[in-house]
Amino acid sequence: MALTGRAALLAALGSLPVGIWEPSWAGILAVNAPLAVACACDFALAAPVRRLGLARSGDTSARLGEAADVTLTVTNPSGRLLRAHVRDAWPPSSWQPGTEVEASRHQLTVPAGERRRLNTRLRPTRRGDRQADRVTIRSYGPLRLFSRQGTHRAPWTVRVLPPFPSRKHLPSKLARLRELDGRTSVLTRGEGTEFDSLREYVPGDDTRSIDWRATARQTSVAVRTWRPERDRHILVVLDTGRTSAGRVGDAPRLDASMDAALLLAALASRAGDRVDLLAYDRRVRALVQGRTAKDLLPSLVNAMAPLEPELVETNARGLTATALRTAPRRSLIVLLTSLDAAPIEEGLLPVLPQLTQRHTVLLASVADPHIARMATARGNTDAVYEAAAAAQAQTERDRTAEQLRRHGVTVVDATPDDLAPALADAYLALKAAGRL
């Protein structure tokens, strides 16, 4: 027999067994009353959400690629047991792809008047500041029939620092530095070297280093040894304009430039030189000055962490003027920028004499390894055209580098993996030649 509309509705709700008779209101109340009472009790026994206290602690910084642990402390001031699901929300770049749900959601039980800690492990995929978003808490009763839900703000910031993978090259560069620093004789003489000591002549020494006055006072031939001067000033200039946004591999060119700058700063500070940092495109994005050797690297990575490439053309005149103000005395200016022909010829070359007449200038640029692979491609028509395009691109870079060298600029052009050690070698070569 077909059910009436009301009987079908009640049957669908599970209030009454499906039957062939019309139910009475008394029967409906008799069946639903216990369920209603259970739901009301379950709702009443669910701990309130708005009164919960939330506080954070834990890591405030981490290198890119490393984990950061942030602890969320939940305090339950009510007289009821808190049974809850918690979602600790952070920006998407705070997690490895596909791990957000597992890492940000927690089960929590907090007795009345007590507190519990939840640990959220972040694995950021980008540099910069990652700020905690809302914390959503859903509180259940003992039967889990009803729940209360609320959202809280628990501010916290984790700064994701540059990874500095080139630090693995630091021991070998320091060994070379010790050779230049007077512990092994350096028989070179330039404006950036100072007298270190006298020692006895051995076959193979440069005869120009013989000290004839000292030789006359003793029975053996004495030679002078020189060492690079300390306390030289180095200004590292990061170009954060449009060209630094180009991706080489999995990262922007700016990231490779930062890595090279950090290795150079670590090496130069060990050599007793003073290192400052300027990041510029059309305005100053970061400036680090006057740091001691102990505080230099922490200050640099902290200043570099939030830097992002700006999609604007770098103002070469403004960059030059700012660099001259930042380094009023003779210094080594290390410019980390692109070797693309247009920005160099139209922007940097017209103002370059202002830098080179007062300072020693070293320009370092990130080369794309894909260009080298394209240049060796053969086998079909497309590969030959790619090889021709790569050869033309490399010829333009070589021509631009040669123009810079004619102005007295030392040029380093290397792939992201090789840029940092190549820049460190160029610095050591300048130091050994007494050009700082």
Side-chain angles (χ1 to χ4, degrees), residues 259-275:
D259 186 47
L262 289 173
L263 180 62
L264 175 63
L267 181 62
S269 64
R270 297 286 188 92
D273 292 332
R274 295 172 290 113
V275 182

Side-chain angles (χ1 to χ4, degrees), residues 237-241 243-244 253 257 280 314 319 334-340 343-344 348 362-367 397 404 412-413 419:
V237 181
L238 282 175
D239 180 358
T240 56
T243 57
S244 68
R253 281 186 167 91
S257 297
Y280 191 94
T314 299
L319 185 150
V334 180
L335 179 57
L336 290 147
T337 186
S338 169
L339 260 183
D340 293 346
I344 294 293
L348 183 61
L362 193 163
L363 186 145
S365 179
V366 182
R397 289 180 72 88
L404 292 168
V412 175
D413 186 21
L419 182 66

Side-chain angles (χ1 to χ4, degrees), residues 22-23 103 136 174 178 200 226 247 252 266 293 296 328 331 372 378 395 434:
E22 192 80 11
T136 303
L174 289 175
R178 285 192 291 269
E200 186 176 347
W226 310 89
R247 299 187 73 84
L296 178 62
S331 307
R378 298 293 186 274
T395 299

Side-chain angles (χ1 to χ4, degrees), residues 283-298:
R283 63 182 179 88
V284 176
R285 301 291 178 178
L287 181 62
V288 177
Q289 285 182 292
R291 297 296 193 273
T292 63
K294 180 180 179 182
D295 298 332
L296 178 62
L297 279 182

Side-chain angles (χ1 to χ4, degrees), residues 24-369:
S24 67
W25 285 109
I28 295 172
L29 292 176
V31 173
N32 282 297
L35 179 61
V37 171
C39 291
C41 292
D42 198 52
F43 180 78
L45 291 175
V49 174
R50 295 184 181 276
R51 295 172 56 193
L52 296 175
L54 273 69
R56 289 192 187 272
S57 60
D59 296 333
T60 57
S61 64
R63 291 193 183 276
L64 183 63
E66 297 179 355
D69 291 319
V70 179
T71 300
L72 179 68
T73 302
V74 181
T75 303
N76 178 17
S78 71
R80 308 170 203 167
L81 176 68
L82 173 67
R83 310 169 186 85
H85 289 164
V86 180
R87 179 176 183 263
D88 189 5
W90 291 75
S93 58
S94 302
W95 326 90
Q96 296 290 335
T99 63
E100 177 182 358
V101 173
E102 179 182 356
S104 64
R105 286 165 170 77
H106 308 275
Q107 298 280 350
L108 181 66
T109 302
V110 185
E114 296 187 15
R115 68 184 66 181
R116 292 292 185 271
R117 294 183 176 89
L118 298 174
N119 183 69
T120 299
R121 173 158 289 188
L122 309 179
R123 290 191 178 275
T125 58
R126 293 179 58 188
R127 286 183 295 100
D129 293 336
R130 299 291 169 267
Q131 297 179 344
D133 202 347
R134 294 166 294 181
V135 177
T136 303
I137 301 178
R138 181 175 294 174
S139 172
Y140 293 92
L143 300 178
R144 294 184 175 268
L145 297 174
F146 275 86
S147 65
R148 306 169 185 261
Q149 180 169 308
T151 300
H152 293 259
R153 294 283 183 180
W156 194 259
T157 300
V158 175
R159 172 156 288 191
V160 186
L161 307 174
F164 193 17
S166 65
R167 62 181 179 271
K168 63 186 178 184
H169 298 289
L170 188 57
S172 63
K173 305 308 175 186
L174 289 175
R176 172 61 178 153
L177 177 64
R178 285 192 291 269
E179 294 179 2
L180 300 179
D181 201 25
R183 301 181 192 183
T184 300
S185 299
V186 178
L187 302 181
T188 59
R189 180 74 171 111
E191 62 182 353
T193 56
E194 61 184 6
F195 176 73
D196 179 40
S197 62
L198 292 171
R199 64 166 176 79
E200 186 176 347
Y201 174 87
V202 295
D205 284 342
D206 190 341
T207 56
R208 292 174 297 179
S209 64
I210 295 176
D211 188 319
W212 296 107
R213 291 186 178 181
T215 300
R217 293 194 298 268
Q218 57 189 39
T219 58
S220 60
V221 178
V223 295
R224 300 189 188 95
T225 60
W226 310 89
R227 67 178 179 184
E229 290 186 14
R230 293 175 172 268
D231 200 33
R232 293 304 190 183
H233 181 229
I234 300 172
L235 176 62
V236 179
V237 181
L238 282 175
D239 180 358
T240 56
R242 173 186 60 82
T243 57
S244 68
R247 299 187 73 84
V248 178
D250 296 330
R253 281 186 167 91
L254 181 60
D255 286 26
S257 297
M258 288 180 180
D259 186 47
L262 289 173
L263 180 62
L264 175 63
L267 181 62
S269 64
R270 297 286 188 92
D273 292 332
R274 295 172 290 113
V275 182
D276 293 337
L277 171 74
L278 169 66
Y280 191 94
D281 42 71
R282 289 188 177 177
R283 63 182 179 88
V284 176
R285 301 291 178 178
L287 181 62
V288 177
Q289 285 182 292
R291 297 296 193 273
T292 63
K294 180 180 179 182
D295 298 332
L296 178 62
L297 279 182
S299 299
L300 290 181
V301 296
N302 193 56
M304 290 177 180
L307 287 178
E308 294 293 344
E310 300 292 331
L311 299 182
V312 296
E313 201 70 42
T314 299
N315 182 354
R317 293 188 181 276
L319 185 150
T320 301
T322 305
L324 290 173
R325 288 196 302 269
T326 307
R329 298 182 179 180
R330 183 168 182 81
S331 307
L332 171 64
I333 305 292
V334 180
L335 179 57
L336 290 147
T337 186
S338 169
L339 260 183
D340 293 346
I344 294 293
E345 294 175 358
E346 299 174 10
L348 183 61
L349 282 179
V351 297
L352 190 58
Q354 300 177 35
L355 288 175
T356 55
Q357 69 182 2
R358 186 186 304 180
H359 303 293
T360 302
V361 180
L362 193 163
L363 186 145
S365 179
V366 182
D368 190 345

